[in-house]
Amino acid sequence: MGQFKETQLSDRLESGAKAKEARLAQFRARPAADDPAVLARQAERQAVAEAREVRVSEREAARAAAEAVRAAETLAEQERAAAEIVRQAAEKVERQAALAAEQKATRDARFAARKAKVKR
């Protein structure tokens, strides 16, 4: 079994200072904002963002076009349904007029037969 290593306060403070210095050195080693590599990455990100915006706008345009087609189809279907209702109503009126004319003709025939019977 290993021995227990007792650390002194000064050892702990020294290791903390080394860690802080390492982080600071890592931060200082970062390239500057005008570094060509940083600018190239920014340009690449900007190009990707613009391409994404183009794709989104194309998708929205396609969605709007599809919605317009669906709306036109719905409107056409509603117009066909309205035309069918008007046609059925016209046929019903025509049938009722024909039935009324037929009933009048039979009623007139009965009346004429009754008149002819009385005149005899």
Side-chain angles (χ1 to χ4, degrees):
M1 199 153 129
Q3 286 186 335
F4 179 69
K5 183 177 180 184
E6 188 174 323
T7 59
Q8 299 296 322
L9 177 63
S10 61
D11 293 336
R12 292 194 306 262
L13 290 176
E14 185 180 330
S15 67
K18 283 182 184 177
K20 284 181 186 178
E21 191 61 37
R23 290 294 290 162
L24 188 59
Q26 186 180 21
F27 179 74
R28 286 185 186 140
R30 252 184 29 192
D34 60 347
D35 187 32
V38 172
L39 294 176
R41 280 195 307 270
Q42 281 180 334
E44 183 180 336
R45 286 186 197 123
Q46 183 66 27
V48 168
E50 288 173 359
R52 183 181 309 119
E53 289 175 7
V54 167
R55 287 192 309 269
V56 166
S57 64
E58 286 174 352
R59 253 193 321 267
E60 288 174 355
R63 189 175 299 128
E67 183 64 31
V69 167
R70 280 194 299 273
E73 289 173 351
T74 302
L75 182 62
E77 182 62 33
Q78 290 172 349
E79 288 175 356
R80 280 193 293 270
E84 180 65 22
I85 290 171
V86 168
R87 185 188 63 78
Q88 288 175 352
E91 285 180 0
K92 184 177 180 182
V93 167
E94 189 178 308
R95 280 194 310 267
Q96 287 175 344
L99 180 63
E102 183 181 329
Q103 288 173 344
K104 184 178 182 326
T106 55
R107 189 174 54 243
D108 288 347
R110 281 195 312 259
F111 181 72
R114 217 175 28 242
K115 281 289 196 173
K117 190 175 184 184
V118 171
K119 282 188 177 180
R120 276 198 217 161

